[in-house]
Each structure stands twice: as structure tokens, then as C-alpha cells.
């Protein structure tokens, strides 16, 4: 939980500090890459570190991930320019790509499935608490201290986490010499990196860059497949990833990540711009998702042995569309309470779905492949986030370009509306209506994706929990 706090805080605390950081460092045109570089590195390295944890053990890979993350954090605090900040954030992302999957794998090693859901509920609560405390802590640091402490705050937490792993996590000695598929790891990282860069640029005007990066992705992906078919111990076992329960569960997770990105990106915009709520009200509406997520994870944990993994996965996937339809029915006369209710329902379904899909995959794979299986699920969620950002951004732009208003709505007008600086009652109403129409289409797309997620979950075959008793720490690994 301590190691996960560092990764969870990065999602909210840095966003709070970035306006002041970019004011001091300059390079406003590189603003989005501070976040994109972290997500790109984290997504690309998740599967790689999951495989390394299977080959070399959980403990050394986790300690390496914490070390890399702390190095990136310390350097980010000393960043002298935006390009330097982007590089140091990328280093942080590499460390996060090890911390998140390996911590989940350690939980799977130490606890049988009937108890694991409860522990993963604790981990989910870390994200919920960080979502609430992150902006608050970030605001206090920005007000009273240097923004560098946003990053240096990770150092004591990371050191405490590392000491805990060294003292209490005991593994069997590994005498065999594993065969590391270095070429596969490099090609996979290059393929996923170029894919995410292409998706990021596809949402902007950099069409030529997106086409070039798409070409790099295709070439690297083809070479990766050829390499994995000839490797002695491939980095990604197609036999594992291709199993129907794992493939279907990961597809569900991709769609869940897309729906989550649609909610987190556009709910605050709708509450502020259309419902005319304050930023605090918009934040509270979105926070309801983070309340529902750990609640759903806890419900899933207590129900695994009673209802079964597939039944819970389908049930959770069925709750998400119920929340999404609330957003599709919102009107300019709706209240923020209704939006918060939809956020709570979607978070509840996402919590149930995420825990049940993770445990399902961990139960199917062999212990020697548990790190790779866990990483595949987390990778799918991160990929879904990126796909969702691209898709929903394109849908929003389409909606704005095809509004029923007589004049085209510009991005500056929307920004003025969100900042409360729109000039004139009539212009304010026109922009509000145009934003409602375009976000309505976006929410409809989110609902369709959530329905497809439910249909995909129904393709998962029944999986029974292994009746494994609690084992000592040194034997579990």
C-alpha cells in the first residue's frame, strides 16, 4: 500500500502543481507531455516488468521499480526546463510500470483468492484516498513551499516501502538461469510507445506525426510477433494471452479503461460548463466515482466465494451502463447531484469488474506466470485510458463542429465559459447549449462502450476458485 501511494498520488498531486510549474519553467506547448510521458512509460513497461518478476522474483523487481521511481522523483524536483521535466517524468513512469503490477502479484502470491479480493480492496482504497488528498496536499505545498516538494514527497514514502519489502518479503532462492527475451522486450516497448504517441497526436493537428508513429508501431508489432514465435522463453506468451478467459477479461478491462477516461475527462467539464457548478462541485461529483470504486471492490471481495468470478464480472459490467445512461440523460436543467449519482454507480460497477477480472486472470495462470498475467490486466486498463482519451476527444470535436447553433463554437469560448468569463447572457446560453449537445454525444458513446463491455464480459467462461489455504510468506513465493 505504501508503494502504491506514490503512484496513486502522481495522478492528482502533479496536476494541481502543473500550472505553477509551467509558469516558472515555460514551455506551455509541452504541458500535456508531462502527463503523457509518465503514462506512456508506465504502460509500455508494465508487461516487461511483469515478465521480469516471473523470471527473477518479485522482490528484486519491486525494489528496482521503487529505486527508479525515486530517482525520477528527485530529478523532477530539480528540473530546470519543461523538456527536462518530461524526461524525469518518463523515468518516474518506468518505475511505476514495475510498482503497480508487481505489488498486485505479491498480493496474489501471499493470499488465496477467497482472501485476495479484500486485500485488493485495501489497495483500491489507496487510490480513492489519494484522489481526495492529492489536490489538497498539492495545494498546501504550492501555497507554502516550493513545487519541488510535490516530487520529493515520494522519497520518505518510497524508502519506507523499500525497507518493508526487504524486511518482510522472503522468497526462495532461484538457482536456475532464466532466458531473458531482450529483443522481445525492446520491440514491445517500441511498439507500445509509438502506438500511444500516435493516439496522442491523433487527437491534435499533428496528422503527419500520427501517421509516422502508426507506421513505426506496425513495423515493430510485426517484428515483435516474429521474435516471440522464435524465442525460447518469450516475453509475452501468446498461449497465455490467447486463452479465452484471459483474452475476454482483458478486453473487458480495455473497455473499462475507455469508459473511465470518458467519465473522468468530461464529467467536470459538463458540471462546470453546462450545469454551471463550481470547480469544487465538479470535483465532488467526480470523487463519487472514487467512493464507488473501493466500495465495489469490497463488495466483490466479500462475494467471490458465494457467486463466482464470472458472475461477478458480468454483474459489475452490467452496473456500469446503468451509471452511463444517467449521463446520457442529463440536460442543462439537471442537478450536479444526479451527475454525482451516475458517477457513484459507474465507480461501483468498475470496482466490482476490476477486482473480479484481476482475480480471474490470477487464478487461471500458473504461479510462474502470475506476474505476466497480472501485468496484462493492468496494461489493458492503461491502454484503454489512452484509447478512450483519443476516441472521446474526437467525438467531442465532432459534436462541437456539428452543433445546431448558427455560428461555430471555438475552444476559447468554451474556456471562457468554464472559467466563468463568458460575455453576455445570450452568448453564454449559446455556448452552454452547444457544449451540452457535444457532450451528450460523448456520453452516448460512453454508454455504447459500457454496453459492449457487458457483452464482452458474457463471453468469459465460468472459472472456479482454487481451494488454496493460507501459506506462509516464504513458501508463497
Amino acid at each position: 500500500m505504501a508503494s502504491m501511494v506514490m503512484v496513486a498520488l502522481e495522478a492528482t498531486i502533479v496536476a494541481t502543481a502543473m500550472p505553477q510549474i509551467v509558469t516558472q519553467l515555460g514551455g506551455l506547448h509541452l504541458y500535456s507531455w508531462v502527463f503523457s510521458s509518465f503514462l506512456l512509460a508506465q504502460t509500455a513497461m508494465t508487461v516487461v516488468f511483469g515478465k521480469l518478476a516471473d523470471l527473477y522474483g518479485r522482490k528484486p523487481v519491486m525494489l528496482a521499480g521503487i529505486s527508479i521511481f525515486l530517482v525520477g522523483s528527485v530529478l523532477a524536483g530539480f528540473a530546470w526546463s519543461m523538456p527536462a521535466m518530461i524526461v524525469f517524468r518518463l523515468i518516474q513512469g518506468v518505475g511505476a510500470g514495475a510498482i503497480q503490477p508487481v505489488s498486485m502479484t505479491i498480493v496474489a502470491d501471499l493470499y488465496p483468492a477467497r482472501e485476495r479480493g479484500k486485500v485488493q480492496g485495501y489497495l483500491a482504497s489507496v487510490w480513492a484516498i489519494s484522489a481526495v488528498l492529492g489536490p489538497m496536499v498539492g495545494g498546501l505545498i504550492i501555497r507554502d513551499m516550493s513545487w519541488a516538494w510535490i516530487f520529493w514527497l515520494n522519497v520518505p514514502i518510497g524508502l519506507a516501502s523499500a525497507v518493508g519489502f526487504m524486511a518482510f518479503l522472503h522468497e526462495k532462492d532461484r538457482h536456475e538461469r532464466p532466458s531473458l527475451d531482450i529483443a522481445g522486450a525492446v520491440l514491445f516497448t517500441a511498439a507500445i510507445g509509438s502506438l500511444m504517441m500516435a493516439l496522442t497526436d491523433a487527437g491534435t493537428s499533428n496528422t503527419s506525426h500520427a501517421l509516422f508513429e502508426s507506421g513505426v508501431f506496425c513495423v515493430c508489432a510485426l517484428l515483435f510477433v516474429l521474435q516471440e514465435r522464435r524465442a525460447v522463453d518469450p516475453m509475452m506468451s501468446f498461449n497465455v494471452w490467447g486463452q479465452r478467459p484471459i483474452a475476454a477479461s482483458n478486453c473487458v478491462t480495455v473497455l473499462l479503461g475507455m469508459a473511465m477516461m470518458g467519465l473522468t475527462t468530461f464529467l467536470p467539464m459538463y458540471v462546470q460548463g453546462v450545469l454551471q457548478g463550481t470547480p469544487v462541485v465538479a470535483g465532488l461529483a467526480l470523487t463519487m466515482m472514487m467512493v464507488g470504486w473501493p466500495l465495489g471492490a469490497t463488495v466483490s471481495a466479500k462475494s467471490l466465494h458465494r457467486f463466482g468470478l464470472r458472475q461477478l464480472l458480468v454483474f459489475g459490467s452490467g452496473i456500469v451502463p446503468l451509471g452511463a445512461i444517467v449521463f446520457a440523460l442529463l440536460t442543462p436543467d439537471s442537478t450536479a447531484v444526479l451527475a454525482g449519482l451516475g458517477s457513484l454507480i459507474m465507480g461501483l460497477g468498475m470496482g466490482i469488474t476490476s477486482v473480479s477480472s484481476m482475480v480471474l486472470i490470477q487464478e487461471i495462470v500458473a504461479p510462474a506466470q502470475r506476474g505476466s498475467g497480472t501485468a496484462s490486466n493492468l496494461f489493458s486498463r492503461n491502454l484503454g485510458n489512452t484509447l478512450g482519451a483519443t476516441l472521446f476527444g474526437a467525438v467531442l470535436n465532432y459534436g462541437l463542429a456539428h452543433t445546431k447553433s448558427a455560428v461555430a463554437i471555438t475552444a476559447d469560448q468554451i474556456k471562457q465559459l468554464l472559467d466563468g468569463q463568458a460575455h453576455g447572457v445570450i452568448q453564454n446560453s449559446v455556448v452552454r447549449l452547444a457544449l451540452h449537445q457535444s457532450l451528450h454525444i460523448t456520453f452516448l458513446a460512453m454508454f455504447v462502450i459500457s454496453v459492449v463491455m457487458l457483452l464482452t464480459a458474457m463471453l468469459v467462461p465460468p472459472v472456479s476458485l482454487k481451494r488454496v489455504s493460507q501459506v506462509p510468506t516464504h513458501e508463497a513465493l
Side-chain angles (χ1 to χ4, degrees):
M1 291 176 70
S3 64
M4 293 285 279
V5 162
M6 297 189 297
V7 181
L9 277 177
E10 287 303 299
T12 54
I13 196 170
V14 174
T16 305
M18 272 311 298
Q20 182 174 357
I21 293 175
V22 76
T23 299
Q24 293 189 15
L25 300 183
L28 181 62
H29 63 288
L30 299 173
Y31 187 95
S32 63
W33 275 103
V34 174
F35 304 97
S36 298
S37 62
F38 182 93
L39 181 61
L40 187 153
Q42 182 184 15
T43 304
M45 297 305 297
T46 293
V47 175
V48 175
F49 280 117
K51 179 64 176 181
L52 291 175
D54 287 337
L55 293 176
Y56 295 100
R58 324 304 192 207
K59 187 174 181 177
V61 176
M62 174 58 87
L63 293 176
I66 293 174
S67 301
I68 294 171
F69 191 90
L70 292 183
V71 168
S73 298
V74 172
L75 292 174
F78 289 109
W80 57 88
S81 65
M82 284 294 279
M85 175 65 75
I86 291 170
V87 172
F88 299 148
R89 286 280 290 168
L90 189 142
I91 295 174
Q92 276 189 305
V94 172
I99 292 172
Q100 198 170 1
V102 179
S103 61
M104 292 287 193
T105 305
I106 290 172
V107 169
D109 288 333
L110 298 180
Y111 295 91
R114 297 174 186 274
E115 300 178 24
R116 192 183 313 149
K118 178 173 64 176
V119 180
Q120 289 183 337
Y122 296 155
L123 295 181
S125 69
V126 169
W127 290 87
I129 294 172
S130 298
V132 176
L133 291 182
M136 186 187 308
V137 175
L140 291 175
I141 291 177
I142 290 300
R143 187 189 68 182
D144 301 327
M145 307 167 67
S146 166
W147 58 259
W149 287 100
I150 291 286
F151 303 100
W152 294 342
L153 182 67
N154 293 318
V155 175
I157 301 174
L159 291 177
S161 175
V163 169
F165 281 119
M166 288 187 289
F168 301 114
L169 181 59
H170 306 291
E171 297 183 284
K172 291 182 178 179
D173 293 332
R174 295 172 182 256
H175 301 290
E176 69 276 10
R177 299 187 62 181
S179 174
L180 182 59
D181 182 17
I182 297 177
V186 172
L187 288 171
F188 178 83
T189 303
I192 298 304
S194 57
L195 172 63
M196 295 191 67
M197 291 175 67
L199 292 173
T200 301
D201 287 337
T204 65
S205 58
N206 294 327
T207 306
S208 58
H209 289 179
L211 290 174
F212 173 76
E213 290 151 359
S214 299
V216 174
F217 163 71
C218 292
V219 172
C220 291
L222 177 61
L223 294 176
F224 173 71
V225 172
L226 296 176
Q227 167 63 21
E228 296 307 276
R229 291 189 179 280
R230 61 183 288 273
V232 177
D233 187 5
M235 195 208 72
M236 178 186 292
S237 175
F238 294 134
N239 293 331
V240 174
W241 283 59
Q243 293 182 41
R244 178 179 162 188
I246 296 178
S249 295
N250 283 336
C251 286
V252 169
T253 305
V254 168
L255 294 167
L256 182 147
M258 295 177 68
M260 180 172 66
M261 182 56 66
L263 177 63
T264 56
T265 302
F266 297 109
L267 171 58
M269 184 183 296
Y270 194 93
V271 172
Q272 287 185 247
V274 180
L275 303 185
Q276 295 186 310
T278 64
V280 174
V281 172
L284 289 174
L286 182 58
T287 301
M288 294 306 294
M289 183 193 77
M290 301 309 299
V291 173
W293 192 298
L295 182 61
T298 303
V299 169
S300 181
K302 294 181 179 297
S303 307
L304 286 175
H305 64 286
R306 183 179 304 173
F307 299 108
L309 290 167
R310 180 187 184 275
Q311 289 81 351
L312 276 176
L313 182 62
V314 174
F315 177 69
S317 300
I319 292 178
V320 176
L322 295 179
I325 194 65
V326 172
F327 295 104
L329 297 176
L330 286 176
T331 67
D333 297 325
S334 300
T335 65
V337 174
L338 184 60
L341 177 62
S343 178
L344 176 66
I345 296 173
M346 285 192 70
L348 182 68
M350 289 175 177
I352 296 173
T353 304
S354 63
V355 169
S356 54
S357 64
M358 177 73 74
V359 175
L360 185 146
I361 290 175
Q362 291 173 340
E363 286 298 284
I364 292 175
V365 299
Q369 296 175 319
R370 192 173 283 152
S372 298
T374 302
S376 73
N377 192 253
L378 293 171
F379 165 78
S380 299
R381 188 192 304 173
N382 289 336
L383 181 60
N385 288 339
T386 307
L387 291 171
T390 303
L391 173 65
F392 290 122
V395 172
L396 178 66
N397 291 334
Y398 173 84
L400 290 174
H402 295 79
T403 58
K404 298 177 182 179
S405 60
V407 294
I409 304 300
T410 65
D412 287 338
Q413 289 176 308
I414 294 177
K415 183 177 183 301
Q416 291 173 359
L417 178 67
L418 295 176
D419 292 339
Q421 299 174 352
H423 301 293
V425 176
I426 297 178
Q427 180 181 348
N428 185 27
S429 299
V430 170
V431 177
R432 275 185 65 204
L433 182 60
L435 185 61
H436 161 71
Q437 292 170 352
S438 57
L439 286 177
H440 176 69
I441 298 174
T442 306
F443 289 145
L444 284 176
M446 184 174 70
F447 171 71
V448 171
I449 287 174
S450 61
V451 171
V452 175
M453 183 178 76
L454 172 60
L455 298 175
T456 306
M458 297 175 70
L459 298 176
V460 178
V463 176
S464 59
L465 292 176
K466 299 173 184 175
R467 297 186 175 275
V468 183
S469 58
Q470 179 67 39
V471 291
T473 304
H474 67 277
E475 293 179 2
L477 301 181

